[in-house]
């Protein structure tokens, strides 16, 4: 649903973002039952969120473009909670590679410089 909405409208509604985040937190808590695991999961989310913000500002200051949108930055937080900091490098590489692939195809087909990044994030 998020990918489709991002493809159609170039944004992800807050209700979808909040619903996903609550489902991930609930899933993580039920599967772990430990406050230590929850703290670790939230730390992972913060790492992913910080990385996404870093990407946003690096591209903004160097290339003068918004390479990642605010909804994508929020999505990084949710994904980080779900998959953990130990998979950060793998996720970052795969997400970047898929983003380049999807973006290249999107720009050729749609002839549009802006492309939805959520499908690459969620596929990773």
């Amino acid at each position: 649903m998020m990918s489709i909405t991002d493809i159609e409208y170039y944004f992800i509604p807050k209700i979808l973002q909040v619903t996903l985040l609550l489902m991930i937190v609930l899933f993580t808590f039920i599967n772990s039952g430990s406050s230590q695991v929850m703290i670790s999961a939230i730390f992972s989310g913060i790492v992913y969120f910080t990385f996404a913000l870093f990407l946003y500002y690096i591209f903004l200051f160097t290339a003068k473009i918004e390479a990642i949108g605010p909804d994508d930055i929020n999505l990084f937080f949710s994904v980080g909670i779900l998959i953990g900091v130990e998979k950060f490098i793998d996720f970052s590489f795969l997400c970047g590679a898929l983003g380049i692939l999807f973006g290249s195809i999107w720009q050729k087909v749609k002839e549009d410089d802006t492309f939805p990044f959520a499908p690459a994030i969620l596929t990773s």
Side-chain angles (χ1 to χ4, degrees), residues 44-54 70 73-77 80:
S44 296
I46 292 169
V47 168
Y48 283 65
F49 181 83
T50 303
F51 175 70
L53 274 177
F54 174 77
I73 294 169
N74 292 335
L75 188 53
F76 266 77
F77 179 73

Side-chain angles (χ1 to χ4, degrees), residues 79-93:
V79 170
I81 291 173
L82 182 63
I83 66 175
V85 75
E86 59 277 349
K87 294 183 180 163
F88 175 73
I89 299 295
D90 296 337
F91 171 79
S92 298
F93 177 76

Side-chain angles (χ1 to χ4, degrees), residues 35-56:
S35 61
Q36 184 62 30
V37 172
M38 282 306 300
I39 290 169
S40 177
I42 290 173
F43 173 76
S44 296
I46 292 169
V47 168
Y48 283 65
F49 181 83
T50 303
F51 175 70
L53 274 177
F54 174 77
L55 287 177
Y56 174 82

Side-chain angles (χ1 to χ4, degrees), residues 5-22:
T5 304
D6 198 27
I7 289 169
E8 287 290 321
Y9 304 107
Y10 294 100
F11 83 98
I12 304 167
K14 294 290 184 224
I15 189 69
L16 291 178
Q17 293 179 46
V18 170
T19 302
L20 177 66
L21 181 59
L22 290 175

